[in-house]
Amino acid sequence: MSLKGEILEKLKSVFPSHVSGQSIAESFGVSRSAVWKAVNRLKREGYPIEGSPRRGYRLTAPSDLLTRENLLPLLKTRTFGRSGYFHHREVTSTNDVAKLLAREGCPHGTVIVAEAQSRGRGRLGRSWLSPPGAGIYFSLVLRPDFEPPLAPRITLLAGVAVARAIQSLSSLEPKIKWPNDVLLGERKVAGILMEMEAEADLIHYLVLGVGVNANMDRAQLPESLNATSLFLETRTTHSRCELLARVLYELESLWDELLSRGFEPVAEMWREMSFTLGKIVKVEKKEEILCGQAEDIDEHGCLLVRDQEGRIHRVSHGEVMHVR
Ligand code: BTN
């Protein structure tokens, strides 16, 4: 672990008490000036650290920044978030940063996370509200070796992973609106934006952007969005670090499952958590509006909708509205 990481662990272990610069220097065998520099780096990253000449350093509040140092002790993955991890205070969109890194060749499993996004993006050209420190905004770079038409499976997989992570850390029962909006009740708590660069038969990379409304209060989520947060549903603050670690773990487990056993086990989990199947839906496609019953998903992750004449339509993208 880096000196910065060691100091952080020490400060966390004595929180809210102080630890002297001298004792940190002695226990890690470094100079006091090295300690001072590492503490300043932590402060620049946003850790609330206070220094007093006689008593030393202390954290003034428990830190839930999504830094590598905070995440690693909780992370149970082999690759995701370990092959590369980039933490930013603010970016335009983590998907934009991820695409740049992916073009430069960053490894499969690289994670880019931000405390805030100034131009967070959602599906269908929408924006994604990303106030500082309240939610989780991250992108995962994947380098699958299957063909582009199979990529939509990954967005369904991501919805299942986020829903399972929420379920395992709370008493909540999330549902998934096709393709991958994670809902609590009828309100959206998380969304996924997958972008990819591909040729006809080869995916160069996929960027899976995940946004989870963790601790937003009502003022941070306008009523018109029909959104909710874990905080609003449970009235307790959730550890964003634990949640991110869990989402990455679920993503990696389902990814492994997909590679070893194919899509069906993931599809079955999706069906069990589905909010959409069995409902009458309206799907806006380019020129037409299709209305019918959502019957199933297929092996590509497309939604199968039966219209009034009994014909089955495969829906691969677009907005799905639930009529009843
Ligand atoms: C949606 O439901 O419309 C998708 C929302 C995706 C939001 C996440 S936040 C992290 C990543 N960066 C972005 O700009 N968007 C995704």
Side-chain angles (χ1 to χ4, degrees), residues 10-19 50 55 57-62:
K10 183 78 200 160
L11 292 174
K12 281 197 216 160
S13 70
V14 300
F15 172 79
S17 304
H18 288 83
V19 56
E50 174 185 88
R55 295 198 289 176
Y57 302 106
R58 76 181 194 103
L59 280 169
T60 56

Side-chain angles (χ1 to χ4, degrees), residues 93-95 117 120-123 128 138 181 188 191-192 209-211:
S93 153
T94 55
N95 268 31
Q117 297 183 116
R121 294 189 282 111
R123 288 177 63 238
W128 186 259
F138 78 92
D181 287 354
K188 183 155 159 175
I192 290 134
V210 180

Side-chain angles (χ1 to χ4, degrees), residues 88-97 113-122 126-133 137-138:
H88 299 272
R89 282 185 97 154
E90 181 171 318
V91 294
T92 51
S93 153
T94 55
N95 268 31
D96 295 344
V97 179
V113 58
E115 297 295 323
Q117 297 183 116
S118 55
R119 284 205 297 277
R121 294 189 282 111
R126 299 188 182 121
S127 56
W128 186 259
L129 271 183
S130 317
Y137 325 112
F138 78 92

Side-chain angles (χ1 to χ4, degrees), residues 146 149-158 160 178-179 254-271 296-303:
F146 44 72
L150 295 181
R153 295 167 158 199
I154 311 300
T155 68
L156 269 66
L157 178 154
V160 175
W178 186 88
L254 294 179
W255 179 263
D256 290 348
E257 181 93 356
L258 180 74
L259 295 191
S260 62
R261 298 181 53 210
F263 184 52
E264 194 43 35
V266 176
E268 203 41 46
M269 289 181 222
W270 190 94
R271 290 183 188 105
D296 201 357
I297 48 170
D298 71 7
E299 71 283 6
H300 290 89
C302 294
L303 186 65

Side-chain angles (χ1 to χ4, degrees), residues 56-73:
Y57 302 106
R58 76 181 194 103
L59 280 169
T60 56
S63 163
D64 194 29
L65 289 176
L66 300 169
T67 55
R68 183 201 302 267
E69 285 82 6
N70 278 349
L71 189 77
L72 272 186

Side-chain angles (χ1 to χ4, degrees), residues 215-286:
N215 294 321
M216 278 87 156
D217 59 25
R218 206 11 91 216
Q220 289 170 307
L221 285 178
E223 194 57 44
S224 58
L225 287 180
N226 198 29
T228 190
S229 70
L230 301 182
F231 170 76
L232 287 171
E233 296 298 319
T234 59
R235 291 285 150 195
T236 48
T237 303
H238 290 259
S239 156
R240 292 182 312 140
C241 284
E242 268 179 40
L243 188 58
L244 176 58
R246 189 72 200 198
V247 172
L248 289 173
Y249 171 76
E250 296 290 347
L251 279 168
E252 188 175 273
S253 308
L254 294 179
W255 179 263
D256 290 348
E257 181 93 356
L258 180 74
L259 295 191
S260 62
R261 298 181 53 210
F263 184 52
E264 194 43 35
V266 176
E268 203 41 46
M269 289 181 222
W270 190 94
R271 290 183 188 105
E272 272 166 30
M273 297 183 128
S274 166
F275 181 78
T276 301
L277 296 185
K279 297 237 167 51
I280 303 295
V281 295
K282 234 187 191 177
V283 188
E284 276 179 28
K285 298 178 98 183
K286 265 181 215 138

